[in-house]
Amino acid sequence: MQLDSAQLNAFSAVIDEGSFERAAAVLHITRSAVSQRIKLLEERVGQVLVRRATPCTATEAGQALYRHAREIALSEADALAAIGGGPRSTTRLAVGVNADSLATWFPAAMAQAGADPSITFDIHVEDQDHSANLLREGRVMAAVTADPQPVQGCQVLPLGTLRYRALASPAFMQRFFATGVTATTLARAPMLVFNRKDALQGRYVRRITRRTLTPPVHWLPEAHAFVKATEAGLGWGMAPDLMVDGHLRSGTLVELIPGKPVDVPLYWQYWRLNVQALARMTAAVQSQAHRSLATR
């Protein structure tokens, strides 16, 4: 099936920008023109491609078409640059990253790849246990993930291990764990959890107690605030070594049980495309991960 390039571009812009209005501004056409192109494309394929919401998102059928459209756009931009068809256009790399990587080692990889002014980033923050779903949905072209199984059409590279420790302030330890870290004390002590997808604390509790407990929970979805709240004594939580080495050395944070870390292996999954911007980002991610992450 031959699809109209203007319609594909309008569709991609709506998904990238999240609305018909912003897509129109990027494409320098009217909103009604964008709407008409999307309507014609949907009629052509016989399926609804865009969920008209805030923001606009691709339907299941639209996800496959979006990835196809992005692959075409990236490959065409690379080909034109290679044959001298004008200056290289800006390539937006949509990438899924877990919050703790984004708060520690990953920005250095972005800066390394972003030294090429033709590369810009569209970062999607997602838990490492779920970020591969962004690839399946076509919302990103690469992701830091805990899933070693390649998503269809993707390659996988091991990055290293993000090591987490169960931490609390000394005052919190004295208040809740003076008699030891047991199923009884863990069931009473307030626990900090990043969001509803964050399973690290629960994994740690089951490892220590062989039980599933339901302690009081504070939900705190911001990596640096998470560590600050732990230091302030709001609760105990899991944090990566890359964020808390200084706190451990100064004694403002201590381990619940010394020498019981939880290691999370990370992988880089990316579209199997011969595209310069994606290759540059992959090299940067490998380089910075090698410098920052533990090896098993």
Side-chain angles (χ1 to χ4, degrees), residues 235-256:
W236 74 270
M238 306 292 296
D241 281 357
L242 291 175
M243 290 187 70
V244 297
D245 273 348
H247 299 277
L248 288 168
R249 286 195 301 270
S250 68
T252 59
L253 288 175
V254 295
E255 286 191 78
L256 269 61

Side-chain angles (χ1 to χ4, degrees), residues 74-103:
L74 290 170
S75 297
E76 285 183 350
D78 259 19
L80 285 172
I83 63 174
R88 179 179 294 276
S89 59
T90 299
T91 300
R92 178 189 294 181
L93 292 180
V95 179
V97 189
N98 60 307
D100 289 329
S101 289
L102 191 59

Side-chain angles (χ1 to χ4, degrees), residues 169-214:
S169 69
F172 187 92
M173 290 293 296
Q174 183 60 37
R175 181 180 176 189
F176 290 98
F177 297 119
T179 60
V181 179
T182 65
T184 300
T185 55
L186 281 168
R188 291 199 306 258
M191 184 170 70
L192 285 162
V193 181
F194 189 83
N195 60 24
R196 269 69 178 177
K197 296 178 180 179
D198 179 7
L200 281 174
Q201 284 72 210
R203 188 187 308 177
Y204 179 83
V205 168
R206 288 190 297 274
R207 176 182 172 186
I208 300 302
T209 68
R210 302 293 189 269
R211 295 167 58 184
T212 299
L213 305 178
T214 56

Side-chain angles (χ1 to χ4, degrees), residues 13-261:
V14 168
I15 303 306
D16 285 342
E17 301 301 327
S19 75
F20 283 67
E21 289 78 8
R22 288 199 293 273
V26 167
L27 296 173
H28 306 291
I29 58 177
T30 65
R31 186 200 183 283
S32 61
V34 172
S35 182
Q36 181 66 14
R37 291 178 187 182
I38 299 299
K39 179 182 176 181
L40 291 172
L41 182 61
E42 290 178 330
E43 290 175 351
R44 178 78 173 106
V45 301
Q47 297 189 66
V48 176
L49 301 173
V50 179
R51 294 189 185 92
R52 274 75 167 175
T54 305
C56 291
T57 58
T59 63
E60 185 173 350
Q63 290 165 9
L65 187 60
Y66 175 73
R67 173 167 174 164
H68 173 68
R70 293 296 298 141
E71 289 177 349
I72 290 174
L74 290 170
S75 297
E76 285 183 350
D78 259 19
L80 285 172
I83 63 174
R88 179 179 294 276
S89 59
T90 299
T91 300
R92 178 189 294 181
L93 292 180
V95 179
V97 189
N98 60 307
D100 289 329
S101 289
L102 191 59
T104 52
W105 66 274
F106 197 78
M110 295 171 62
Q112 182 178 333
D116 180 343
S118 71
I119 296 175
T120 62
F121 295 98
D122 180 8
I123 299 298
H124 298 243
V125 180
E126 181 58 280
D127 184 272
Q128 64 272 359
D129 291 329
H130 299 271
S131 54
N133 290 333
L134 298 176
L135 287 162
R136 294 186 184 95
E137 295 167 2
R139 295 170 59 192
V140 301
M141 58 190 70
V144 176
T145 175
D147 189 351
Q149 298 302 315
V151 173
Q152 185 176 5
C154 291
Q155 292 180 273
V156 182
L157 295 173
L159 295 178
T161 298
L162 200 55
R163 175 160 289 177
Y164 287 82
R165 299 183 190 276
L167 304 171
S169 69
F172 187 92
M173 290 293 296
Q174 183 60 37
R175 181 180 176 189
F176 290 98
F177 297 119
T179 60
V181 179
T182 65
T184 300
T185 55
L186 281 168
R188 291 199 306 258
M191 184 170 70
L192 285 162
V193 181
F194 189 83
N195 60 24
R196 269 69 178 177
K197 296 178 180 179
D198 179 7
L200 281 174
Q201 284 72 210
R203 188 187 308 177
Y204 179 83
V205 168
R206 288 190 297 274
R207 176 182 172 186
I208 300 302
T209 68
R210 302 293 189 269
R211 295 167 58 184
T212 299
L213 305 178
T214 56
V217 173
H218 298 293
W219 304 100
L220 210 170
E222 202 287 319
H224 292 287
F226 191 99
V227 173
K228 287 183 177 294
T230 308
E231 188 179 27
L234 181 63
W236 74 270
M238 306 292 296
D241 281 357
L242 291 175
M243 290 187 70
V244 297
D245 273 348
H247 299 277
L248 288 168
R249 286 195 301 270
S250 68
T252 59
L253 288 175
V254 295
E255 286 191 78
L256 269 61
I257 302 177
K260 294 285 186 180

Side-chain angles (χ1 to χ4, degrees), residues 275-291:
V275 173
Q276 182 176 328
L278 190 53
R280 185 181 180 95
M281 185 61 190
T282 296
V285 166
Q286 287 183 289
S287 173
Q288 296 302 327
H290 179 73
R291 295 181 185 182

